[in-house]
Amino acid sequence: MDLTTLRRRLAELGQRPGADGAPFGAADRSAILTALTDGPDYKLGDDDVADAADQIKVEPAAIWAVWDVEGSAAPFIGGRPTILFEPHRFSRATGHRYDVSHPTISSRKWNRKLYPAKQVGRWTQLLDAVALDVDAGFASASYGGFQILGENFEVCGATSPWSFAWQQAQTEADQLAAFLKFVQGNGLVGALRRHDWAAFAKGYNGTAYRENRYDERLAAAFVKRGGA
């Protein structure tokens, strides 16, 4: 998706982005932030998660465990989905061409120091990245209670990274629906069903899961949620 198409999508949502042909600017930033400030109109409840768990034949506690660990039970902050921008993903998605000119949003290597502590800083990173490359920008952030990267938009049923970001900005139920598609599309249901947290963590979070004891945290969250 190019900037012209993004502006058209924003206009369809009732926003007023920058004029066609103009550089990415303040109007575009405002339009994106406003368009993605919508939820949570509907908060997840036990019945919602129980229904989702029944669809893939896992214990509800298994889904809640991922929710608790990934989103720290904060799927939205200030009406926008909680995000984490990944500079190393943006670097890879753009062929590393911005590593030198924009080192705070594009890094060949993973670097913990590039993660702002607050959401305002993370959204600034995302918008700076979108100004350079719309698709790579939205694809390089993870969203919501399940923190799924935008690069997974297709398996989650979206037509573009932008569409995925917009979907994640709607309700917690939309975030849950994307999670179901993600675990089904990536063959992770079996690991979730068996409570094989190491296998699930590797598939969901990559091989670096050991560094932050992701599998152990999932196991503890599962027990805390009443999993057997």
Side-chain angles (χ1 to χ4, degrees):
M1 176 182 288
D2 58 18
L3 179 56
T4 299
T5 304
L6 175 61
R7 284 170 168 164
R8 189 175 303 124
R9 297 288 182 270
L10 289 166
E12 291 169 354
L13 292 171
Q15 305 305 317
R16 300 174 73 108
D20 287 346
F24 186 96
D28 298 299
R29 290 172 179 268
S30 178
I32 291 170
L33 290 176
T34 303
L36 297 181
T37 306
D38 190 62
D41 300 318
Y42 179 86
K43 294 183 70 65
L44 285 185
D46 288 335
D47 289 343
D48 302 301
V49 175
D51 287 343
D54 184 61
Q55 291 181 47
I56 58 175
K57 306 306 177 188
V58 303
E59 292 178 61
I63 295 178
W64 280 124
V66 182
W67 178 264
D68 291 342
V69 171
E70 281 290 344
S72 299
F76 287 87
I77 294 178
R80 287 194 292 271
T82 305
I83 68 166
L84 181 65
F85 185 78
E86 301 280 8
H88 66 291
R89 295 285 190 173
F90 183 72
S91 175
R92 187 175 68 179
T94 55
H96 313 293
R97 65 181 179 272
Y98 298 112
D99 290 358
V100 175
S101 60
H102 296 77
T104 61
I105 61 172
S106 186
S107 173
R108 188 177 290 265
K109 295 182 179 180
W110 180 85
N111 183 352
R112 185 185 299 276
K113 294 180 180 179
L114 296 180
Y115 293 130
K118 296 183 178 181
Q119 285 293 300
V120 63
R122 298 177 185 184
W123 279 97
T124 296
Q125 283 182 313
L126 175 57
L127 293 175
D128 287 347
V130 169
L132 299 173
D133 187 308
V134 174
D135 280 341
F138 286 117
S140 299
S142 55
Y143 304 83
F146 293 102
Q147 285 295 290
I148 298 174
L149 271 168
E151 64 186 37
N152 298 293
F153 69 94
E154 288 184 293
V155 74
C156 293
T159 58
S160 69
W162 155 254
S163 296
F164 179 73
W166 184 82
Q167 288 176 4
Q168 294 294 285
Q170 302 310 299
T171 70
E172 295 179 13
D174 288 290
Q175 295 177 4
L176 175 60
F179 172 76
L180 290 183
K181 291 176 181 177
F182 181 87
V183 296
Q184 290 174 302
N186 287 287
L188 296 176
V189 173
L192 202 60
R193 193 176 291 155
R194 298 189 305 272
H195 313 149
D196 186 344
W197 301 114
F200 180 82
K202 182 178 180 180
Y204 198 87
N205 231 12
T207 56
Y209 75 90
R210 298 182 186 88
E211 297 178 13
N212 60 8
R213 298 165 56 202
Y214 184 70
D215 55 331
E216 296 176 26
R217 290 159 56 207
L218 284 171
F222 175 70
V223 172
K224 188 174 181 179
R225 281 287 187 172

